[in-house]
Amino acid sequence: LFLSPTWRVWLFFGGILCLLTIFSTSVAEWEQMRDNVNLIREKNTYDGLRSSFQNPFSTIDPLGQFLNYLYAATRLSLPVFWGGSVKDLLFVAYIFFLTLSIKRAISSKFPDQRVVACLMLGTILTLLFFEPDVGSFARHSCTLFPYLSI
């Protein structure tokens, strides 16, 4: 695309909002899964409660779904602001490393690296819909390690 970086960001978030509007019912079910898992964990006192969270906005309307997605992205990618432990700080460093790797691969002149960057980005963006806590997000994002060798 020959757009400025600012327009790319607006286009990205606008695209997500459009998709949420079109697939509103499906997205509501996906976001509700996180809440259901965490409610069951709270009742049965499973591990992972330290970093689990509920969606703060309504899952019915597209704007609430978009805000829930942004909240989940922030909560899962920057857990140091909610937990404050050394593990959380190390995980933020890991996410920063992944972000730099994706940015470097996207701006590469080699098409293979751009494809890998798209796969990594797609994996992370998908995980943000479903993961109920930071530990699950960390475990499932480890599948990105093989991509880093390319």
Side-chain angles (χ1 to χ4, degrees), residues 58-115:
S58 169
T59 59
I60 296 171
D61 63 301
L63 181 62
Q65 294 167 350
F66 180 70
L67 294 174
N68 283 335
Y69 187 78
L70 288 180
Y71 178 74
T74 306
R75 188 78 192 245
L76 293 171
S77 300
L78 302 169
V80 72
F81 296 122
W82 285 272
S85 70
V86 175
K87 289 190 296 186
D88 295 327
L89 188 60
L90 291 172
F91 187 68
V92 169
Y94 166 68
I95 292 297
F96 182 72
F97 172 71
L98 284 177
T99 304
L100 285 178
S101 300
I102 291 170
K103 183 182 180 318
R104 191 189 82 213
I106 284 176
S107 61
S108 172
K109 61 182 178 180
F110 300 108
D112 295 346
Q113 288 186 351
R114 283 190 237 134
V115 169

Short mmCIF file of all heavy atoms in Angstrom, two decimals, residues 58-115:
data_model
loop_
_atom_site.label_atom_id
_atom_site.label_comp_id
_atom_site.label_asym_id
_atom_site.label_seq_id
_atom_site.Cartn_x
_atom_site.Cartn_y
_atom_site.Cartn_z
N SER A 58 -20.04 -4.39 26.71
CA SER A 58 -21.06 -5.28 26.17
C SER A 58 -20.51 -6.04 24.96
O SER A 58 -19.81 -5.47 24.13
CB SER A 58 -22.29 -4.47 25.76
OG SER A 58 -23.17 -5.26 25.00
N THR A 59 -20.87 -7.31 24.86
CA THR A 59 -20.45 -8.10 23.70
C THR A 59 -21.53 -8.11 22.62
O THR A 59 -21.39 -8.80 21.62
CB THR A 59 -20.13 -9.55 24.11
OG1 THR A 59 -21.30 -10.13 24.69
CG2 THR A 59 -18.98 -9.61 25.07
N ILE A 60 -22.58 -7.33 22.80
CA ILE A 60 -23.69 -7.33 21.85
C ILE A 60 -23.43 -6.39 20.67
O ILE A 60 -23.63 -6.75 19.53
CB ILE A 60 -25.01 -6.96 22.55
CG1 ILE A 60 -25.36 -8.03 23.59
CG2 ILE A 60 -26.14 -6.83 21.56
CD1 ILE A 60 -26.51 -7.68 24.48
N ASP A 61 -22.97 -5.16 20.95
CA ASP A 61 -22.81 -4.20 19.87
C ASP A 61 -21.36 -4.18 19.36
O ASP A 61 -20.43 -4.49 20.11
CB ASP A 61 -23.23 -2.80 20.31
CG ASP A 61 -22.37 -2.27 21.42
OD1 ASP A 61 -22.32 -2.93 22.49
OD2 ASP A 61 -21.75 -1.22 21.25
N PRO A 62 -21.14 -3.82 18.11
CA PRO A 62 -19.79 -3.83 17.52
C PRO A 62 -18.80 -2.92 18.23
O PRO A 62 -17.63 -3.26 18.34
CB PRO A 62 -20.02 -3.37 16.07
CG PRO A 62 -21.42 -3.73 15.78
CD PRO A 62 -22.16 -3.56 17.08
N LEU A 63 -19.24 -1.75 18.70
CA LEU A 63 -18.32 -0.86 19.39
C LEU A 63 -17.81 -1.49 20.69
O LEU A 63 -16.62 -1.45 21.00
CB LEU A 63 -18.97 0.49 19.67
CG LEU A 63 -18.07 1.50 20.38
CD1 LEU A 63 -16.85 1.82 19.51
CD2 LEU A 63 -18.83 2.76 20.72
N GLY A 64 -18.71 -2.12 21.44
CA GLY A 64 -18.31 -2.82 22.66
C GLY A 64 -17.37 -3.97 22.36
O GLY A 64 -16.41 -4.21 23.09
N GLN A 65 -17.62 -4.67 21.28
CA GLN A 65 -16.73 -5.77 20.89
C GLN A 65 -15.35 -5.25 20.53
O GLN A 65 -14.33 -5.84 20.92
CB GLN A 65 -17.34 -6.53 19.71
CG GLN A 65 -18.61 -7.25 20.06
CD GLN A 65 -19.35 -7.73 18.83
OE1 GLN A 65 -19.03 -7.38 17.70
NE2 GLN A 65 -20.39 -8.54 19.05
N PHE A 66 -15.29 -4.15 19.81
CA PHE A 66 -14.02 -3.55 19.43
C PHE A 66 -13.26 -3.09 20.68
O PHE A 66 -12.05 -3.33 20.81
CB PHE A 66 -14.27 -2.37 18.48
CG PHE A 66 -13.03 -1.68 18.04
CD1 PHE A 66 -12.15 -2.30 17.17
CD2 PHE A 66 -12.73 -0.40 18.48
CE1 PHE A 66 -10.99 -1.66 16.75
CE2 PHE A 66 -11.59 0.25 18.07
CZ PHE A 66 -10.71 -0.38 17.20
N LEU A 67 -13.96 -2.46 21.62
CA LEU A 67 -13.32 -2.00 22.86
C LEU A 67 -12.86 -3.19 23.70
O LEU A 67 -11.80 -3.13 24.33
CB LEU A 67 -14.26 -1.10 23.64
CG LEU A 67 -14.59 0.24 22.97
CD1 LEU A 67 -15.65 0.99 23.76
CD2 LEU A 67 -13.34 1.08 22.80
N ASN A 68 -13.63 -4.27 23.72
CA ASN A 68 -13.20 -5.48 24.43
C ASN A 68 -11.94 -6.05 23.81
O ASN A 68 -11.04 -6.52 24.51
CB ASN A 68 -14.31 -6.54 24.40
CG ASN A 68 -15.41 -6.26 25.37
OD1 ASN A 68 -15.21 -5.57 26.37
ND2 ASN A 68 -16.59 -6.75 25.07
N TYR A 69 -11.86 -6.03 22.48
CA TYR A 69 -10.67 -6.53 21.78
C TYR A 69 -9.45 -5.70 22.13
O TYR A 69 -8.38 -6.23 22.42
CB TYR A 69 -10.92 -6.56 20.28
CG TYR A 69 -9.81 -7.22 19.50
CD1 TYR A 69 -9.71 -8.60 19.45
CD2 TYR A 69 -8.86 -6.46 18.83
CE1 TYR A 69 -8.69 -9.21 18.74
CE2 TYR A 69 -7.84 -7.06 18.12
CZ TYR A 69 -7.76 -8.45 18.09
OH TYR A 69 -6.74 -9.04 17.39
N LEU A 70 -9.60 -4.37 22.12
CA LEU A 70 -8.49 -3.50 22.50
C LEU A 70 -8.09 -3.71 23.95
O LEU A 70 -6.90 -3.72 24.29
CB LEU A 70 -8.85 -2.04 22.27
CG LEU A 70 -8.93 -1.57 20.83
CD1 LEU A 70 -9.30 -0.09 20.76
CD2 LEU A 70 -7.62 -1.81 20.10
N TYR A 71 -9.09 -3.89 24.83
CA TYR A 71 -8.80 -4.15 26.24
C TYR A 71 -8.04 -5.46 26.39
O TYR A 71 -7.05 -5.54 27.14
CB TYR A 71 -10.11 -4.18 27.04
CG TYR A 71 -9.91 -4.48 28.50
CD1 TYR A 71 -9.38 -3.52 29.35
CD2 TYR A 71 -10.25 -5.72 29.03
CE1 TYR A 71 -9.19 -3.79 30.69
CE2 TYR A 71 -10.07 -6.00 30.37
CZ TYR A 71 -9.54 -5.03 31.20
OH TYR A 71 -9.36 -5.31 32.53
N ALA A 72 -8.48 -6.50 25.70
CA ALA A 72 -7.79 -7.80 25.77
C ALA A 72 -6.37 -7.68 25.23
O ALA A 72 -5.44 -8.25 25.81
CB ALA A 72 -8.57 -8.85 25.00
N ALA A 73 -6.20 -6.95 24.14
CA ALA A 73 -4.86 -6.78 23.57
C ALA A 73 -3.95 -6.08 24.57
O ALA A 73 -2.79 -6.49 24.77
CB ALA A 73 -4.94 -5.97 22.28
N THR A 74 -4.45 -5.06 25.24
CA THR A 74 -3.64 -4.35 26.23
C THR A 74 -3.39 -5.22 27.44
O THR A 74 -2.26 -5.30 27.94
CB THR A 74 -4.36 -3.05 26.66
OG1 THR A 74 -4.66 -2.29 25.51
CG2 THR A 74 -3.51 -2.24 27.60
N ARG A 75 -4.41 -5.88 27.90
CA ARG A 75 -4.29 -6.69 29.13
C ARG A 75 -3.35 -7.88 28.92
O ARG A 75 -2.58 -8.23 29.81
CB ARG A 75 -5.69 -7.18 29.50
CG ARG A 75 -5.84 -7.87 30.81
CD ARG A 75 -5.86 -6.87 31.95
NE ARG A 75 -5.71 -7.57 33.19
CZ ARG A 75 -6.63 -7.63 34.12
NH1 ARG A 75 -7.77 -7.01 33.96
NH2 ARG A 75 -6.40 -8.29 35.22
N LEU A 76 -3.42 -8.50 27.74
CA LEU A 76 -2.59 -9.67 27.48
C LEU A 76 -1.17 -9.30 27.07
O LEU A 76 -0.23 -10.03 27.37
CB LEU A 76 -3.23 -10.55 26.40
CG LEU A 76 -4.53 -11.23 26.80
CD1 LEU A 76 -5.18 -11.88 25.59
CD2 LEU A 76 -4.30 -12.24 27.90
N SER A 77 -0.99 -8.18 26.39
CA SER A 77 0.33 -7.81 25.89
C SER A 77 1.14 -7.00 26.90
O SER A 77 2.37 -7.00 26.84
CB SER A 77 0.20 -6.98 24.61
OG SER A 77 -0.46 -7.72 23.64
N LEU A 78 0.48 -6.32 27.80
CA LEU A 78 1.16 -5.49 28.79
C LEU A 78 0.72 -5.85 30.21
O LEU A 78 0.20 -5.00 30.94
CB LEU A 78 0.88 -4.01 28.51
CG LEU A 78 1.28 -3.50 27.13
CD1 LEU A 78 0.71 -2.12 26.89
CD2 LEU A 78 2.79 -3.50 26.99
N PRO A 79 0.92 -7.09 30.63
CA PRO A 79 0.42 -7.51 31.94
C PRO A 79 1.13 -6.84 33.12
O PRO A 79 0.63 -6.87 34.23
CB PRO A 79 0.67 -9.02 31.95
CG PRO A 79 1.82 -9.21 31.03
CD PRO A 79 1.63 -8.17 29.96
N VAL A 80 2.26 -6.21 32.86
CA VAL A 80 3.01 -5.59 33.95
C VAL A 80 2.20 -4.46 34.60
O VAL A 80 2.37 -4.19 35.79
CB VAL A 80 4.39 -5.08 33.43
CG1 VAL A 80 4.24 -3.85 32.56
CG2 VAL A 80 5.33 -4.82 34.58
N PHE A 81 1.27 -3.86 33.87
CA PHE A 81 0.45 -2.79 34.44
C PHE A 81 -0.63 -3.32 35.38
O PHE A 81 -1.17 -2.57 36.18
CB PHE A 81 -0.19 -1.95 33.34
CG PHE A 81 0.82 -1.21 32.51
CD1 PHE A 81 0.89 -1.40 31.14
CD2 PHE A 81 1.73 -0.34 33.10
CE1 PHE A 81 1.82 -0.71 30.38
CE2 PHE A 81 2.67 0.34 32.34
CZ PHE A 81 2.71 0.15 30.98
N TRP A 82 -0.97 -4.60 35.28
CA TRP A 82 -1.98 -5.19 36.15
C TRP A 82 -1.37 -6.11 37.19
O TRP A 82 -1.90 -6.24 38.28
CB TRP A 82 -3.02 -5.95 35.33
CG TRP A 82 -3.95 -5.04 34.63
CD1 TRP A 82 -5.11 -4.53 35.13
CD2 TRP A 82 -3.81 -4.51 33.32
NE1 TRP A 82 -5.70 -3.70 34.20
CE2 TRP A 82 -4.92 -3.67 33.08
CE3 TRP A 82 -2.86 -4.64 32.31
CZ2 TRP A 82 -5.11 -2.99 31.89
CZ3 TRP A 82 -3.05 -3.96 31.13
CH2 TRP A 82 -4.15 -3.15 30.92
N GLY A 83 -0.27 -6.79 36.87
CA GLY A 83 0.32 -7.72 37.82
C GLY A 83 1.53 -7.14 38.52
O GLY A 83 1.66 -7.20 39.73
N GLY A 84 2.43 -6.59 37.74
CA GLY A 84 3.60 -5.94 38.32
C GLY A 84 4.71 -6.86 38.78
O GLY A 84 5.63 -6.42 39.44
N SER A 85 4.67 -8.14 38.41
CA SER A 85 5.72 -9.05 38.85
C SER A 85 6.84 -9.12 37.81
O SER A 85 6.73 -8.59 36.71
CB SER A 85 5.14 -10.45 39.07
OG SER A 85 4.80 -11.04 37.84
N VAL A 86 7.92 -9.77 38.18
CA VAL A 86 9.06 -9.94 37.28
C VAL A 86 8.65 -10.77 36.07
O VAL A 86 9.07 -10.49 34.94
CB VAL A 86 10.25 -10.57 38.02
CG1 VAL A 86 11.39 -10.87 37.07
CG2 VAL A 86 10.71 -9.67 39.15
N LYS A 87 7.81 -11.78 36.28
CA LYS A 87 7.33 -12.60 35.16
C LYS A 87 6.59 -11.75 34.14
O LYS A 87 6.75 -11.92 32.94
CB LYS A 87 6.39 -13.72 35.66
CG LYS A 87 7.08 -14.82 36.41
CD LYS A 87 6.15 -15.98 36.66
CE LYS A 87 5.01 -15.60 37.54
NZ LYS A 87 4.16 -16.73 37.93
N ASP A 88 5.79 -10.82 34.64
CA ASP A 88 5.05 -9.94 33.73
C ASP A 88 5.99 -9.04 32.94
O ASP A 88 5.79 -8.82 31.75
CB ASP A 88 4.05 -9.09 34.51
CG ASP A 88 2.96 -9.91 35.16
OD1 ASP A 88 2.57 -10.94 34.57
OD2 ASP A 88 2.50 -9.54 36.25
N LEU A 89 7.02 -8.55 33.60
CA LEU A 89 7.99 -7.70 32.92
C LEU A 89 8.74 -8.48 31.84
O LEU A 89 8.96 -7.98 30.74
CB LEU A 89 8.97 -7.11 33.93
CG LEU A 89 9.92 -6.06 33.41
CD1 LEU A 89 9.17 -4.87 32.85
CD2 LEU A 89 10.85 -5.61 34.52
N LEU A 90 9.10 -9.72 32.14
CA LEU A 90 9.77 -10.57 31.15
C LEU A 90 8.85 -10.88 29.97
O LEU A 90 9.29 -10.93 28.82
CB LEU A 90 10.26 -11.86 31.79
CG LEU A 90 11.42 -11.71 32.77
CD1 LEU A 90 11.69 -13.03 33.48
CD2 LEU A 90 12.66 -11.21 32.05
N PHE A 91 7.58 -11.07 30.24
CA PHE A 91 6.64 -11.34 29.16
C PHE A 91 6.48 -10.11 28.27
O PHE A 91 6.37 -10.23 27.05
CB PHE A 91 5.29 -11.79 29.71
CG PHE A 91 4.36 -12.23 28.63
CD1 PHE A 91 4.61 -13.38 27.89
CD2 PHE A 91 3.23 -11.50 28.32
CE1 PHE A 91 3.77 -13.79 26.87
CE2 PHE A 91 2.38 -11.90 27.30
CZ PHE A 91 2.65 -13.03 26.58
N VAL A 92 6.47 -8.92 28.85
CA VAL A 92 6.40 -7.70 28.05
C VAL A 92 7.63 -7.60 27.15
O VAL A 92 7.54 -7.21 25.99
CB VAL A 92 6.24 -6.45 28.95
CG1 VAL A 92 6.43 -5.16 28.16
CG2 VAL A 92 4.88 -6.45 29.62
N ALA A 93 8.80 -7.97 27.68
CA ALA A 93 10.02 -7.97 26.87
C ALA A 93 9.88 -8.97 25.71
O ALA A 93 10.32 -8.69 24.58
CB ALA A 93 11.23 -8.31 27.73
N TYR A 94 9.29 -10.12 25.97
CA TYR A 94 9.05 -11.12 24.93
C TYR A 94 8.12 -10.57 23.84
O TYR A 94 8.38 -10.71 22.65
CB TYR A 94 8.47 -12.39 25.57
CG TYR A 94 7.86 -13.38 24.62
CD1 TYR A 94 8.65 -14.08 23.72
CD2 TYR A 94 6.50 -13.63 24.62
CE1 TYR A 94 8.09 -15.00 22.85
CE2 TYR A 94 5.93 -14.55 23.77
CZ TYR A 94 6.73 -15.22 22.88
OH TYR A 94 6.18 -16.13 22.02
N ILE A 95 7.04 -9.92 24.25
CA ILE A 95 6.10 -9.32 23.29
C ILE A 95 6.80 -8.22 22.49
O ILE A 95 6.60 -8.09 21.28
CB ILE A 95 4.85 -8.76 24.02
CG1 ILE A 95 4.02 -9.91 24.59
CG2 ILE A 95 4.00 -7.90 23.10
CD1 ILE A 95 3.45 -10.85 23.57
N PHE A 96 7.64 -7.43 23.16
CA PHE A 96 8.39 -6.39 22.46
C PHE A 96 9.32 -7.01 21.42
O PHE A 96 9.41 -6.51 20.29
CB PHE A 96 9.18 -5.56 23.48
CG PHE A 96 9.94 -4.42 22.88
CD1 PHE A 96 9.28 -3.30 22.40
CD2 PHE A 96 11.32 -4.47 22.80
CE1 PHE A 96 9.99 -2.25 21.84
CE2 PHE A 96 12.04 -3.43 22.23
CZ PHE A 96 11.37 -2.32 21.76
N PHE A 97 9.97 -8.11 21.78
CA PHE A 97 10.84 -8.81 20.84
C PHE A 97 10.06 -9.33 19.64
O PHE A 97 10.48 -9.20 18.49
CB PHE A 97 11.57 -9.96 21.56
CG PHE A 97 12.34 -10.85 20.65
CD1 PHE A 97 13.52 -10.40 20.05
CD2 PHE A 97 11.91 -12.13 20.39
CE1 PHE A 97 14.23 -11.22 19.19
CE2 PHE A 97 12.61 -12.96 19.55
CZ PHE A 97 13.79 -12.50 18.95
N LEU A 98 8.90 -9.92 19.89
CA LEU A 98 8.05 -10.40 18.79
C LEU A 98 7.61 -9.24 17.89
O LEU A 98 7.60 -9.36 16.67
CB LEU A 98 6.82 -11.13 19.33
CG LEU A 98 7.01 -12.53 19.86
CD1 LEU A 98 5.70 -13.06 20.41
CD2 LEU A 98 7.55 -13.45 18.80
N THR A 99 7.25 -8.12 18.50
CA THR A 99 6.81 -6.96 17.73
C THR A 99 7.94 -6.45 16.84
O THR A 99 7.72 -6.14 15.66
CB THR A 99 6.33 -5.84 18.68
OG1 THR A 99 5.30 -6.37 19.51
CG2 THR A 99 5.80 -4.65 17.90
N LEU A 100 9.14 -6.37 17.39
CA LEU A 100 10.29 -5.93 16.58
C LEU A 100 10.57 -6.92 15.45
O LEU A 100 10.90 -6.50 14.33
CB LEU A 100 11.53 -5.77 17.45
CG LEU A 100 11.57 -4.54 18.34
CD1 LEU A 100 12.85 -4.53 19.18
CD2 LEU A 100 11.46 -3.28 17.52
N SER A 101 10.45 -8.20 15.74
CA SER A 101 10.68 -9.21 14.71
C SER A 101 9.66 -9.09 13.58
O SER A 101 10.01 -9.19 12.40
CB SER A 101 10.61 -10.62 15.31
OG SER A 101 11.58 -10.78 16.30
N ILE A 102 8.41 -8.88 13.94
CA ILE A 102 7.36 -8.73 12.93
C ILE A 102 7.59 -7.46 12.12
O ILE A 102 7.49 -7.47 10.89
CB ILE A 102 5.97 -8.73 13.59
CG1 ILE A 102 5.65 -10.12 14.15
CG2 ILE A 102 4.89 -8.29 12.61
CD1 ILE A 102 4.42 -10.17 15.01
N LYS A 103 7.92 -6.38 12.80
CA LYS A 103 8.18 -5.11 12.10
C LYS A 103 9.35 -5.26 11.12
O LYS A 103 9.28 -4.79 9.98
CB LYS A 103 8.46 -4.00 13.10
CG LYS A 103 8.66 -2.65 12.46
CD LYS A 103 8.98 -1.60 13.50
CE LYS A 103 9.19 -0.23 12.93
NZ LYS A 103 9.94 -0.12 11.73
N ARG A 104 10.41 -5.91 11.56
CA ARG A 104 11.58 -6.11 10.69
C ARG A 104 11.22 -6.98 9.49
O ARG A 104 11.62 -6.72 8.36
CB ARG A 104 12.72 -6.74 11.48
CG ARG A 104 14.03 -6.73 10.71
CD ARG A 104 15.08 -7.54 11.39
NE ARG A 104 14.81 -8.92 10.99
CZ ARG A 104 15.03 -9.99 11.72
NH1 ARG A 104 15.51 -9.87 12.91
NH2 ARG A 104 14.78 -11.19 11.28
N ALA A 105 10.43 -8.03 9.72
CA ALA A 105 10.06 -8.93 8.63
C ALA A 105 9.12 -8.27 7.63
O ALA A 105 9.21 -8.50 6.43
CB ALA A 105 9.44 -10.20 9.19
N ILE A 106 8.21 -7.43 8.12
CA ILE A 106 7.29 -6.73 7.22
C ILE A 106 8.04 -5.77 6.32
O ILE A 106 7.73 -5.64 5.14
CB ILE A 106 6.20 -6.00 8.03
CG1 ILE A 106 5.18 -7.00 8.54
CG2 ILE A 106 5.49 -4.94 7.18
CD1 ILE A 106 4.12 -6.42 9.42
N SER A 107 9.05 -5.12 6.86
CA SER A 107 9.79 -4.14 6.05
C SER A 107 10.94 -4.78 5.26
O SER A 107 11.72 -4.07 4.63
CB SER A 107 10.33 -3.03 6.95
OG SER A 107 11.21 -3.56 7.92
N SER A 108 11.03 -6.10 5.28
CA SER A 108 12.09 -6.80 4.56
C SER A 108 11.85 -6.74 3.06
O SER A 108 10.72 -6.63 2.59
CB SER A 108 12.13 -8.26 5.00
OG SER A 108 13.01 -8.99 4.19
N LYS A 109 12.94 -6.85 2.31
CA LYS A 109 12.80 -6.87 0.85
C LYS A 109 12.55 -8.29 0.34
O LYS A 109 12.30 -8.49 -0.84
CB LYS A 109 14.04 -6.28 0.18
CG LYS A 109 15.32 -7.01 0.48
CD LYS A 109 16.50 -6.35 -0.18
CE LYS A 109 17.78 -7.08 0.19
NZ LYS A 109 18.94 -6.48 -0.42
N PHE A 110 12.58 -9.27 1.25
CA PHE A 110 12.36 -10.66 0.86
C PHE A 110 10.89 -11.03 1.10
O PHE A 110 10.39 -10.92 2.22
CB PHE A 110 13.26 -11.60 1.67
CG PHE A 110 14.72 -11.33 1.47
CD1 PHE A 110 15.46 -10.75 2.49
CD2 PHE A 110 15.34 -11.63 0.27
CE1 PHE A 110 16.81 -10.48 2.31
CE2 PHE A 110 16.69 -11.37 0.09
CZ PHE A 110 17.42 -10.79 1.11
N PRO A 111 10.20 -11.49 0.07
CA PRO A 111 8.77 -11.83 0.22
C PRO A 111 8.52 -12.93 1.24
O PRO A 111 7.49 -12.93 1.91
CB PRO A 111 8.34 -12.27 -1.18
CG PRO A 111 9.41 -11.87 -2.10
CD PRO A 111 10.65 -11.65 -1.30
N ASP A 112 9.46 -13.88 1.37
CA ASP A 112 9.27 -14.97 2.33
C ASP A 112 9.15 -14.43 3.75
O ASP A 112 8.33 -14.92 4.54
CB ASP A 112 10.43 -15.96 2.26
CG ASP A 112 10.50 -16.68 0.93
OD1 ASP A 112 9.52 -16.60 0.16
OD2 ASP A 112 11.54 -17.30 0.65
N GLN A 113 9.94 -13.45 4.08
CA GLN A 113 9.89 -12.88 5.42
C GLN A 113 8.60 -12.10 5.65
O GLN A 113 8.06 -12.10 6.76
CB GLN A 113 11.10 -11.99 5.68
CG GLN A 113 12.37 -12.80 5.85
CD GLN A 113 13.55 -11.93 6.25
OE1 GLN A 113 13.48 -10.71 6.24
NE2 GLN A 113 14.65 -12.57 6.59
N ARG A 114 8.09 -11.48 4.61
CA ARG A 114 6.82 -10.77 4.75
C ARG A 114 5.67 -11.76 4.99
O ARG A 114 4.76 -11.48 5.77
CB ARG A 114 6.54 -9.91 3.51
CG ARG A 114 7.37 -8.65 3.53
CD ARG A 114 6.91 -7.70 2.45
NE ARG A 114 8.10 -7.43 1.65
CZ ARG A 114 8.17 -7.45 0.35
NH1 ARG A 114 7.11 -7.69 -0.37
NH2 ARG A 114 9.29 -7.21 -0.27
N VAL A 115 5.72 -12.90 4.34
CA VAL A 115 4.70 -13.93 4.56
C VAL A 115 4.77 -14.43 6.01
O VAL A 115 3.74 -14.59 6.67
CB VAL A 115 4.87 -15.10 3.56
CG1 VAL A 115 3.99 -16.28 3.95
CG2 VAL A 115 4.56 -14.64 2.16
#
